[in-house]
Amino acid sequence: MVKLLAKKERETLTTGNNNLTNKYKMAYMSQKGYDDLVAKLKHMESVDRPAASAAIAEARDKGDLSENAEYDAAKEWQSKLETQIALLKQTILDAKIIDTRHMDTSSVQIMATVGLKNTKNGMEMKYTIVSATEADHRAGKISVETPIAQGLLGKKVGDTATIRVPQGEIQLEITSISYDI
């Protein structure tokens, strides 16, 4: 059985250059985001885990394990997979589901869909502020941890937020706030 990691272990656990704790940690999320994580966990446990075990067994059948790169790769894959499963289980346990039907639309909060206008060039955009696990820039969902989301939190319709981004500063006027999720 995979043990659930203590907070200190989650903070220090890394895999290569990808720090898994940045992606999987306590998060406020929608019911859909939670359901997606549960589905991903079930897939990892029922499809990926048996595939990793089969890859190890196949590599083991090829002979001497001390010089078997395929065996080493399969064991490394299994190790990373088990780490991801443990962290995903912890995230699911720590998840806080937000019911957006009762959210206050007077200010920007997590799960809000925010209409914005760049005051410099007049470009309009719309983003939904979500947890890091639900972020999908192509779908217009940005992580609450991004500079843009951080600059918008607590602002009201008509407010202008000055946000520091890698390219400098941008000023975004809030044109609407809704909860569409």
Side-chain angles (χ1 to χ4, degrees):
M1 172 126 221
V2 176
K3 84 172 192 175
L4 297 180
L5 302 174
K7 182 179 180 185
K8 185 69 174 168
E9 291 173 298
R10 288 194 320 263
E11 289 172 357
T12 58
L13 183 61
T14 61
T15 302
N17 292 330
N18 179 18
N19 186 342
L20 294 174
T21 60
N22 285 341
K23 189 169 183 181
Y24 300 114
K25 61 183 177 180
M26 187 172 104
Y28 293 97
M29 63 183 65
S30 65
Q31 183 65 51
K32 181 186 180 324
Y34 178 84
D35 293 343
D36 289 348
L37 288 181
V38 170
K40 181 176 182 175
L41 176 62
K42 286 181 182 176
H43 182 270
M44 291 171 84
E45 290 179 328
S46 64
V47 177
D48 295 340
R49 183 182 275 163
S53 295
I56 290 169
E58 183 179 326
R60 187 180 296 130
D61 290 342
K62 293 185 179 179
D64 185 10
L65 298 181
S66 65
E67 297 178 12
N68 189 334
E70 192 175 326
Y71 177 78
D72 292 339
K75 288 295 282 181
E76 184 177 336
W77 175 37
Q78 182 186 43
S79 174
K80 287 181 180 182
L81 178 65
E82 292 302 329
T83 299
Q84 290 174 337
I85 288 171
L87 290 171
L88 191 52
K89 283 183 175 183
Q90 191 65 49
T91 297
I92 289 168
L93 286 174
D94 292 342
K96 305 291 184 225
I97 299 170
I98 296 176
D99 182 358
T100 58
R101 296 175 294 181
H102 305 293
M103 299 293 286
D104 177 14
T105 59
S106 67
S107 66
V108 178
Q109 301 173 46
I110 189 167
M111 309 307 277
T113 299
V114 186
L116 302 166
K117 181 178 177 183
N118 185 321
T119 59
K120 185 174 184 178
N121 63 18
M123 187 173 120
E124 293 190 12
M125 60 206 90
K126 190 176 269 195
Y127 291 117
T128 301
I129 300 173
V130 296
S131 68
T133 58
E134 293 182 271
D136 179 0
H137 190 52
R138 284 181 243 168
K141 295 180 178 182
I142 61 172
S143 168
V144 70
E145 298 169 6
T146 63
I148 292 174
Q150 288 293 307
L152 296 174
L153 292 175
K155 302 280 192 258
K156 300 177 182 311
V157 173
D159 287 354
T160 299
T162 301
I163 300 168
R164 192 175 294 268
V165 294
Q167 296 81 13
E169 285 188 348
I170 57 172
Q171 292 195 344
L172 300 173
E173 179 185 346
I174 298 169
T175 59
S176 65
I177 301 170
S178 64
Y179 292 92
D180 303 330
I181 294 179

